[in-house]
Amino acid sequence: MLQRKDVLGLRDMTREEILEILTVAQEMKKRIDHPELRTSELHHTSIVTLFYENSTRTKTSFALAGKYLGATVQDLGISTSSVNKGESLIDTGKTLDQMGVEIMIMRNSYTGAPHVLARNVNAHVINAGDGSNEHPTQALLDLYTILEYKKHFEGLKVAIIGDISHSRVARSNVFGLQKLGAEVVLAGPSTLLGSAQLLGVKTTSDIREAVKDADIVMGLRIQFERQKTTNFPGIGEYRDLFGINQEVLSYAKKDVLVMHPGPVNRGVELSGDVIDGQNSVINIQVKNGVAVRMAILKLLAKGGEA
């Protein structure tokens, strides 16, 4: 059972907890495709989203996940809230606590911000991305997508390519994939690998080496907003040396899954024919994100009971 107050990262989540979330997500996905199966089991649950950074997929999928379970979901519009009057994160959290909010879903540009919030509120806190640290629900939906297609993790080779040093998605995926028995290779420009070797996986700047015989190839967005210096000469050079196109993909297994957390810089990280190709499951990841987030909301609200 998911006997924890918060979901802050996959670094501290057990293999068993990960697999439980993925199992419950299987049931939740049926409710997305078949509205008649949706229930109001969380109709007494109040959820607030606090997004200090922009988001389309994560924020919307959490809102829909709560709605499909019958919960009340409210977005705290940061630009129109007391945050703009100087209210601290802790005081904002305590205010929401007093209003009876039971689950707070937070994205923040500062590493560790959701952890600070979680220590100071009674509500469950879900990390929707903190700085370059972790993005646990994105990794969980990635894991669910892999499981859905490959049926197992042991022995799979997963190549994650792109802006590794700034990617909270890459970090959470590494933690999760390692716990489930997959081999992970991180690839990108040497200037964007950062301290990736400290994660205990292979790193390389040769993307064909990374992709060779891969079961999964995951591209990552170049996060210009987190880069304080120019890490490569230009977009054209990045595309030519590190973009995933059909020629690069030919080094992988024929049944390779192509993934990306989105949004994709089309024609840069992935070519258009790869994004729209038969191996791509990028759009499926979006649907699976709703299912996984439904599973997490239900497990937290019900005290770990599936």
Side-chain angles (χ1 to χ4, degrees), residues 32 38 47-51 53-69 71 73-75 105-107 128 135 137-138 141 285-294 297:
I32 301 173
R38 296 174 193 168
I47 301 170
V48 167
T49 55
L50 303 89
F51 277 64
E53 289 185 312
N54 295 335
S55 173
T56 296
R57 292 156 188 78
T58 305
K59 185 176 180 179
T60 304
S61 64
F62 263 121
L64 290 174
K67 179 179 179 180
Y68 293 163
L69 290 167
V73 184
Q74 178 70 39
D75 177 53
I105 302 161
M106 181 177 141
R107 171 172 290 185
H135 193 346
T137 63
Q138 176 66 48
L141 77 86
Q285 286 175 266
V286 176
K287 176 181 283 191
N288 289 346
V290 180
V292 163
R293 288 164 179 136
M294 287 175 70
L297 292 176

Side-chain angles (χ1 to χ4, degrees), residues 134-243:
E134 283 214 54
H135 193 346
T137 63
Q138 176 66 48
L140 287 164
L141 77 86
D142 293 339
L143 295 175
Y144 178 75
T145 304
I146 293 171
L147 182 62
E148 191 173 49
Y149 282 87
K150 298 299 184 182
K151 309 305 180 187
H152 66 95
F153 294 97
E154 292 78 6
L156 293 180
K157 179 180 178 181
V158 182
I160 304 178
I161 299 168
D163 186 355
I164 304 296
S165 61
H166 301 99
S167 178
R168 53 199 177 202
V169 173
R171 289 174 61 83
S172 287
N173 266 296
V174 167
F175 297 142
L177 287 163
Q178 284 184 312
K179 289 176 181 181
L180 295 171
E183 172 194 357
V184 184
V185 179
L186 303 177
S190 58
T191 52
L192 290 177
L193 287 175
S195 57
Q197 67 273 12
L198 299 179
L199 295 173
V201 298
K202 182 177 180 179
T203 62
T204 180
S205 290
D206 183 342
I207 67 167
R208 287 164 182 79
E209 176 189 358
V211 169
K212 183 174 174 55
D213 297 324
D215 299 281
I216 318 292
V217 172
M218 182 184 299
L220 297 174
R221 183 177 66 85
I222 303 170
Q223 299 190 43
F224 292 106
E225 72 275 16
R226 301 192 198 283
Q227 298 179 19
K228 294 182 171 49
T229 60
T230 302
N231 291 282
F232 46 85
I235 292 295
E237 182 182 76
Y238 182 92
R239 178 195 62 226
D240 295 341
L241 295 177
F242 299 99

Side-chain angles (χ1 to χ4, degrees), residues 241-252:
L241 295 177
F242 299 99
I244 302 167
N245 52 36
Q246 290 293 352
E247 186 272 329
V248 170
L249 206 60
S250 70
Y251 286 80

Side-chain angles (χ1 to χ4, degrees), residues 2 4-10 12-13 17 21 62 103-106 114-115 118 123-130 134-138 140 292 295-297 299-300:
L2 194 67
R4 57 170 55 237
K5 173 179 171 289
D6 312 297
V7 173
L8 301 175
L10 267 60
D12 68 342
M13 191 172 284
E17 287 177 314
I21 292 170
F62 263 121
I103 299 177
M104 301 180 193
I105 302 161
M106 181 177 141
H115 300 71
H124 302 287
V125 174
I126 301 174
N127 180 5
D130 64 323
E134 283 214 54
H135 193 346
T137 63
Q138 176 66 48
L140 287 164
V292 163
I296 292 169
L297 292 176
L299 287 167
L300 286 181

Side-chain angles (χ1 to χ4, degrees), residues 12-68:
D12 68 342
M13 191 172 284
T14 67
R15 171 189 171 92
E16 291 69 30
E17 287 177 314
I18 293 171
L19 290 175
E20 181 180 16
I21 292 170
L22 302 188
T23 298
V24 176
Q26 292 177 355
E27 175 61 30
M28 296 299 102
K29 187 170 182 179
K30 298 174 185 176
R31 303 188 192 184
I32 301 173
D33 294 324
H34 302 284
E36 69 275 10
L37 297 178
R38 296 174 193 168
T39 66
S40 297
E41 57 199 292
L42 298 190
H43 67 284
H44 291 307
T45 303
S46 296
I47 301 170
V48 167
T49 55
L50 303 89
F51 277 64
Y52 292 76
E53 289 185 312
N54 295 335
S55 173
T56 296
R57 292 156 188 78
T58 305
K59 185 176 180 179
T60 304
S61 64
F62 263 121
L64 290 174
K67 179 179 179 180
Y68 293 163

